[in-house]
């Protein structure tokens, strides 16, 4: 029994002690991955410690002149209402991260459950679920987002709802494929012959094998979610003013692009850094843990 | 093959129907009255009732859904109360601008990316290959609207080389107005397609018939362009179908940034004005385009690779 356990742990990529060290060794060889990790840490740190970093109140108007260029007092200049752009950018990282984690967390959990059900349940249920997944998947997510936000009104909740809804089918499909492959394996048959119930098999034996690839997929989807959230804010369909948010700052910069380039640059750079950081990190994680994943998606 | 074709078409129709029914349901589920949203709180009850009647909101939900789908079959997408014109007219007037933008973007992306991918595969792990790889991942990751605002800032506002907004009039002017939007939209695709071509090229260059061609003493150039490329290009052909969906999504942002007419800008403006009939009509036409494009690419894929027919 012990060897079976060990074999399975090996198949899962859990090689016991030293795994984390070997992960760090592999990671440090991947220069883009290291850069990505640094950027991600920077984004998280600035969002978490935002209140300590900001130099002015991000929503107070006329703390300085309107549309000022960067200076020692206003590190990234000011916007059309005389608000400090640097403070708005630092505070503005909180909403994209919140949206990314809330929406991807919800879709990971629901996608996992639906995928397990589809992969392990009866054939007809699998077919019905697949039809629903494919329907949602083939619907353009931005158009869907616009339509739903047009109806629900712009808010962080609507954005989380839209992103979760459109991501669930992706994870569910991956979870389903993995579950179906495991379903016919010998150790599952052995469990069944020993009288283990479906719930026990799914929770104890299938779930640990399915969740790894899904978490890598989720980490690779973070930049896309940040892009959608920032994009909706850019269109004025995200957070309500005066809440600071990267997309909203970029939109201000776009509206006053003829007056000053600084606002547009200040709004664009954090979006670029965050999406690049999460992309490089996600690709590095995939290359280390599961090189084949995502190639056929 | 015919059974597969039938299945795909049925699935496509089902997708469109379910999506539209979902949107209609949402309009109902949402608290608040579209007519109030349209007219403002000061509107008289008579005026509101008149608008309800015009939009068909006074009838029960089932009747509305049946009427909507019945109208669809006759090519009627509803009536735009704002402009007092049929929604179909409003949407199809904007469609050519979006299609033009998508086609130009994908054409230049393919034209640049395919040679780039071939070169990267031939000089694997060279400086250029690695640089192209990093830039490719970066351009795929950066959102199209950030790319668009950056291009606008650099080439239109700071350098003043290209026009910033609009679609232009007359052929030459329209082409000039397309350059920046098509650049911002296609750049991510250059990265994506070049990686795709590189990967499939590397795979094919290792196969037996290529080794055969090499042993005959053909030049590397002849082998790549004559024997490997026709095979290596296949994944690109099928991915372009999926790409239409991607490009339609970025068209929304590109059209807003460059103040171009088009279906994306139309939907955004309709959402802002809470003009539901136009949102529905626009969503329907874009869904139709995407479902058609993905179905076509799946069919091409199935025709080329019989294994693909087994799935579904």
């Amino acid at each position: 029994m012990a060897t079976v356990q060990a074999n399975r742990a090996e198949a899962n990529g859990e090689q016991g002690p030293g795994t984390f060290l070997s992960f760090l060794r592999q990671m440090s060889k991947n220069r883009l991955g290291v850069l990505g990790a640094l950027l991600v840490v920077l984004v998280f740190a600035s969002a978490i410690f935002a209140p300590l970093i900001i130099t002015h109140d991000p929503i107070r108007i006329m703390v300085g002149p309107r549309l000022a260029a960067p200076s020692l007092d206003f590190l990234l200049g000011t916007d059309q209402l005389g608000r400090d752009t640097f403070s708005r950018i630092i505070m503005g990282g909180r909403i994209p991260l919140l949206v990314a984690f809330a929406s991807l967390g919800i879709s990971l959990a629901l996608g996992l459950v639906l995928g397990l059900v589809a992969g392990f349940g009866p054939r007809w249920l699998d077919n019905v679920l697949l039809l629903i997944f494919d329907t949602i998947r083939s619907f353009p997510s931005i158009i869907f987002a616009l339509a739903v936000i047009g109806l629900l009104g712009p808010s962080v909740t609507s954005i989380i709802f839209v992103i979760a809804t459109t991501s669930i089918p992706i994870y569910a499909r991956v979870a389903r494929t993995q579950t179906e492959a495991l379903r016919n394996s010998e150790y599952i048959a052995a469990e069944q012959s020993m009288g283990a119930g479906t719930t026990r098999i799914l929770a104890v034996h299938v779930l640990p094998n399915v969740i790894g690839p899904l978490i890598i997929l989720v980490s690779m989807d973070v930049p896309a979610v940040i892009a959608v959230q920032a994009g909706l804010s850019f269109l004025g369909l995200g957070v309500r003013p005066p809440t600071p948010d990267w997309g909203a700052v970029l939109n201000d910069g776009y509206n006053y692009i003829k007056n000053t380039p600084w606002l547009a640059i200040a709004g664009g750079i954090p979006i670029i850094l965050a999406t690049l950081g999460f992309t490089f990190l996600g690709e590095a994680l995939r290359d280390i843990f599961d090189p084949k994943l995502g190639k056929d998606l | 093959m015919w059974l597969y074709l039938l299945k795909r078409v049925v699935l496509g129709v089902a997708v469109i129907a379910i999506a539209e029914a979902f949107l209609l349901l949402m309009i109902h589920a949402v608290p608040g009255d579209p007519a109030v949203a349209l007219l403002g709180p000061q509107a008289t009850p008579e005026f509101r009732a008149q608008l309800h009647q015009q939009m068909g909101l006074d009838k029960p939900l089932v009747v509305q859904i049946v009427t909507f789908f019945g109208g669809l079959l006759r090519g009627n997408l509803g009536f735009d109360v704002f402009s007092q014109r049929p929604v179909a007219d409003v949407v199809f007037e904007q469609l050519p601008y979006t299609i033009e933008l998508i086609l130009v973007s994908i054409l230049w992306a393919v034209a640049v990316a395919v040679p780039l991918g071939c070169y990267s595969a031939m000089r694997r792990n060279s400086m250029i290959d690695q640089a192209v790889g990093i830039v490719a991942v970066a351009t795929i990751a950066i959102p199209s609207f950030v790319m668009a605002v950056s291009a606008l800032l650099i080439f239109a506002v700071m350098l003043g080389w290209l026009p910033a907004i609009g679609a232009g009039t007359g052929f030459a002017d329209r082409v000039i107005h397309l350059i920046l939007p098509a650049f911002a939209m296609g750049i991510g695709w250059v990265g994506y397609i070049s990686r795709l071509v590189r990967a499939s090229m590397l795979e094919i260059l290792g196969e037996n018939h290529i080794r055969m061609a090499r042993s005959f003493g053909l030049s590397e150039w002849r082998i790549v362009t004559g024997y490997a490329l026709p095979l290596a290009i296949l994944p690109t052909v099928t991915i372009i179908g999926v790409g239409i969906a991607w490009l339609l999504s970025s068209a929304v942002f590109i059209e807003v940034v460059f103040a171009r007419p088009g279906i994306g800008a139309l939907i955004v403006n309709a959402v802002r004005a809470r003009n539901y009939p136009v949102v529905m009509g626009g969503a329907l036409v874009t869904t139709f385009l995407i479902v058609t494009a993905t179905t076509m690419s799946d069919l091409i894929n199935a025709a080329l690779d019989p294994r693909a027919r087994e799935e579904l």
Side-chain angles (χ1 to χ4, degrees):
Chain A
M1 194 63 203
T3 38
V4 173
Q5 289 266 339
N7 284 344
R8 202 159 66 225
E10 213 162 282
N12 292 353
E14 302 158 4
Q15 284 126 358
T19 312
F20 187 66
L21 276 180
S22 83
F23 162 71
L24 279 186
R25 211 173 304 130
Q26 276 181 289
M27 189 75 190
S28 62
K29 280 192 209 133
N30 188 328
R31 267 176 290 169
L32 277 184
V34 172
L35 176 66
L38 287 177
L39 287 173
V40 168
V41 168
L42 179 75
V43 169
F44 270 107
S46 74
I48 292 168
F49 301 111
L52 305 173
I53 303 172
I54 55 172
T55 50
H56 296 83
D57 182 349
I59 57 172
R60 214 177 118 213
I61 55 174
M62 299 314 285
V63 292
R66 293 169 201 268
L67 299 172
S71 61
L72 276 179
D73 202 13
F74 305 102
L75 295 172
L76 289 171
T78 57
D79 69 3
Q80 73 279 9
L81 296 172
R83 296 176 296 198
D84 178 44
T85 308
F86 175 75
S87 305
R88 290 182 66 73
I89 288 298
I90 295 294
M91 274 308 226
R94 294 186 148 194
I95 289 173
L97 291 179
L98 170 76
V99 168
F101 281 87
S103 56
L104 290 177
I106 294 171
S107 37
L108 176 66
L110 287 177
L112 201 54
V113 171
L114 288 175
L116 289 176
V117 169
F120 220 84
R123 192 83 199 149
W124 64 268
L125 187 62
D126 185 30
N127 284 334
V128 170
L129 285 173
L130 272 188
L131 178 68
I132 297 173
F133 297 160
D134 283 347
T135 306
I136 300 177
R137 251 158 50 113
S138 47
F139 203 61
S141 51
I142 283 289
I143 307 287
F144 178 74
L146 288 174
V148 170
I149 284 165
L151 295 169
L152 297 179
S155 75
V156 172
T157 324
S158 328
I159 296 180
I160 293 175
F161 171 73
V162 168
I163 295 173
T165 316
T166 50
S167 317
I168 289 170
I170 301 170
Y171 305 140
R173 238 180 181 284
V174 176
R176 171 194 168 270
T177 314
Q178 305 258 354
T179 309
E180 208 166 43
L182 288 173
R183 180 185 194 161
N184 302 318
S185 63
E186 281 170 8
Y187 78 86
I188 298 287
E191 280 291 329
Q192 272 168 336
S193 68
M194 287 195 285
T198 312
T199 323
R200 184 184 151 78
I201 291 179
L202 284 181
V204 181
H205 299 286
V206 179
L207 188 69
N209 284 300
V210 174
I211 202 159
L214 275 184
I215 287 177
I216 299 173
L217 271 188
V218 166
S219 79
M220 296 186 72
D221 277 346
V222 173
V225 173
I226 291 178
V228 170
Q229 190 276 331
L232 289 170
S233 282
F234 176 75
L235 293 176
L237 300 170
V239 296
R240 301 269 77 190
T243 315
D245 173 73
W246 294 339
V249 175
L250 185 66
N251 187 34
D252 291 340
Y254 168 71
N255 287 328
Y256 292 89
I257 204 164
K258 290 227 162 78
N259 308 70
T260 173
W262 296 111
L263 204 48
I265 295 171
I269 298 275
I271 302 177
I272 293 177
L273 292 182
T275 48
L276 282 187
F278 280 106
T279 302
F280 289 151
L281 181 64
E283 298 230 329
L285 291 180
R286 182 201 58 195
D287 289 346
I288 292 172
F289 288 114
D290 203 347
K292 278 197 224 125
L293 182 79
K295 293 275 156 71
D296 52 85
L297 287 173
Chain B
M1 187 67 204
W2 288 108
L3 184 66
Y4 179 78
L5 184 84
L6 188 71
K7 275 184 184 170
R8 291 298 321 194
V9 171
V10 170
L11 184 69
V13 173
V15 166
I16 296 172
I18 294 172
E20 287 298 305
F22 180 73
L23 286 183
L24 272 174
L25 277 175
M26 293 264 321
I27 291 185
H28 260 262
V30 168
D33 181 347
V36 177
L38 261 175
L39 295 170
Q42 275 101 27
T44 60
E46 298 83 55
F47 209 58
R48 232 179 270 166
Q50 195 194 337
L51 192 64
H52 270 172
Q53 209 187 348
Q54 263 186 345
M55 294 170 84
L57 291 171
D58 52 343
K59 301 188 187 71
L61 177 62
V62 181
V63 178
Q64 282 187 46
I65 293 181
V66 171
T67 320
F68 184 80
F69 282 107
L72 272 189
L73 294 178
R74 282 176 275 116
N76 178 6
L77 297 182
F79 192 75
D80 175 16
V81 188
F82 268 90
S83 63
Q84 293 289 323
R85 292 196 306 155
V87 171
D89 288 6
V90 177
V91 173
F92 285 112
E93 192 177 79
Q94 302 292 322
L95 197 56
Y97 291 101
T98 305
I99 291 179
E100 169 185 285
L101 180 62
I102 288 179
L103 285 182
V104 172
S105 308
I106 202 117
L107 279 177
W108 90 259
V110 169
V112 174
V114 171
L116 213 56
C118 290
Y119 185 85
S120 293
M122 285 165 71
R123 302 267 181 281
R124 191 181 180 185
N125 294 332
S126 66
M127 285 280 284
I128 293 187
D129 178 30
Q130 291 185 351
V132 169
I134 295 172
V135 174
V137 176
T139 51
I140 297 167
I142 296 172
S144 60
F145 62 96
V146 180
M147 211 58 110
V149 174
S150 315
L152 183 79
L153 179 65
I154 297 170
F155 296 108
V157 177
M158 288 163 96
L159 296 172
W161 289 352
L162 290 161
I165 57 167
T169 47
F171 182 73
D173 199 31
R174 280 182 78 155
V175 171
I176 292 175
H177 277 84
L178 258 175
I179 296 175
L180 277 185
F183 167 78
M185 205 150 129
I187 186 84
W189 274 85
V190 175
Y192 191 59
I193 296 176
S194 69
R195 289 289 95 182
L196 205 63
V197 170
R198 177 185 180 273
S200 55
M201 185 62 113
L202 282 175
E203 199 175 306
I204 286 159
L205 284 179
E207 278 173 19
N208 283 338
H209 70 281
I210 298 293
R211 208 169 47 191
M212 191 73 171
R214 278 212 182 97
S215 70
F216 276 111
L218 293 180
S219 71
E220 194 65 22
W221 180 246
R222 260 304 289 287
I223 292 171
V224 167
T225 55
Y227 295 87
L229 189 58
L231 292 169
I233 200 89
L234 287 179
T236 307
V237 175
T238 50
I239 211 76
I240 285 176
V242 185
I244 303 280
W246 247 44
L247 287 169
L248 263 172
S249 299
S250 37
V252 169
F253 296 104
I254 304 287
E255 284 167 4
V256 170
V257 169
F258 292 101
R260 278 179 65 86
I263 199 159
L266 178 78
I267 295 176
V268 171
N269 290 329
V271 168
R272 284 177 182 156
R274 302 195 141 228
N275 188 352
Y276 297 132
V278 173
V279 175
M280 291 284 291
L284 177 73
V285 172
T286 43
T287 315
F288 178 77
L289 281 179
I290 287 168
V291 169
T292 312
T294 44
T295 307
M296 297 252 290
S297 79
D298 281 352
L299 289 178
I300 293 175
N301 206 359
L304 297 173
D305 184 355
R307 281 172 302 177
R309 286 174 225 163
E310 298 297 319
E311 294 181 23
L312 196 90

